[in-house]
Amino acid sequence: MAFDKLRPQVEEILNTKELSVDNRLTQVCELLMETISYYDWVGFYFKNDDKEELKLRSFAGEPTDHEIIPFGKGICGQVAVSNKNFVVPDVKAQNNYIACSIYVKAEIVIPLFVNGENIGQIDIDSHTADPFSKEDENFLAFVNEKVATILE
């Protein structure tokens, strides 16, 4: 996948000030899911006020029951605590995995920082086993850096 071609498209969406932040986040999720064949669900979770939990804000893909995720629970909850990228080549090998769909085989979660604070994350589910590379990590970190600029 040519992530370099997606970068300006992500920036264009995020710089469209006529749209609400939520609308822009949803459009980014839709762009990534429609463009990258192995991105089968894309969502942004954010810290839920002062609670020790994440709340789903925007997504593309099948609706999920996991709109609230406690810190420490599942891959997303672990990233909220660790502040580190988490790439899961095989979700069945994770004992702290929250199953969103029987079709999900792999997941990648990248934390989103504003002024050095982990305020959320981008979460990608894939129906393909072990599809994520360092390029995915770098691209999604770029997406989060750009998202951070519209949240400050």
Side-chain angles (χ1 to χ4, degrees):
M1 163 41 45
F3 289 117
D4 288 341
K5 290 182 181 172
L6 278 175
R7 290 174 195 262
Q9 293 176 57
V10 168
E11 288 184 285
E12 183 179 340
I13 291 168
L14 293 174
N15 290 332
T16 307
K17 293 180 175 35
E18 299 80 39
L19 300 175
S20 71
V21 169
D22 286 348
N23 195 312
R24 288 183 265 175
L25 292 175
T26 299
Q27 284 192 22
V28 167
C29 292
E30 290 168 349
L31 172 70
L32 300 186
M33 195 182 92
E34 291 165 7
T35 309
I36 303 170
S37 64
Y38 53 92
Y39 284 18
D40 295 296
W41 190 91
V42 180
F44 285 99
Y45 284 93
F46 288 93
K47 187 169 190 253
N48 192 8
D49 298 319
D50 59 350
K51 299 175 188 151
E52 294 287 302
E53 65 185 23
L54 296 164
K55 184 175 184 181
L56 182 62
R57 184 164 173 181
S58 299
F59 71 95
E62 292 292 315
T64 178
D65 292 336
H66 304 289
E67 292 188 14
I68 301 288
I69 299 176
F71 282 14
K73 187 159 173 56
I75 308 307
C76 291
Q78 290 176 74
V79 169
V81 174
S82 73
N83 299 323
K84 294 187 168 82
N85 297 354
F86 200 155
V87 180
V88 182
D90 177 6
V91 295
K92 288 186 184 75
Q94 288 294 317
N95 59 3
N96 190 9
Y97 172 69
I98 301 172
C100 294
S101 158
I102 59 169
Y103 304 109
V104 176
K105 293 189 167 96
E107 184 173 9
I108 184 171
V109 179
I110 308 296
L112 195 160
F113 296 93
V114 172
N115 299 322
E117 181 187 354
N118 181 352
I119 59 133
Q121 54 199 229
I122 190 168
D123 176 23
I124 315 283
D125 289 343
S126 180
H127 300 171
T128 305
D130 196 12
F132 304 115
S133 67
K134 196 68 178 164
E135 286 77 30
D136 291 279
E137 281 190 76
N138 293 337
F139 172 71
L140 295 170
F142 162 84
V143 170
N144 281 354
E145 287 169 19
K146 296 303 174 188
V147 167
T149 65
I150 69 168
L151 299 174
E152 295 178 295

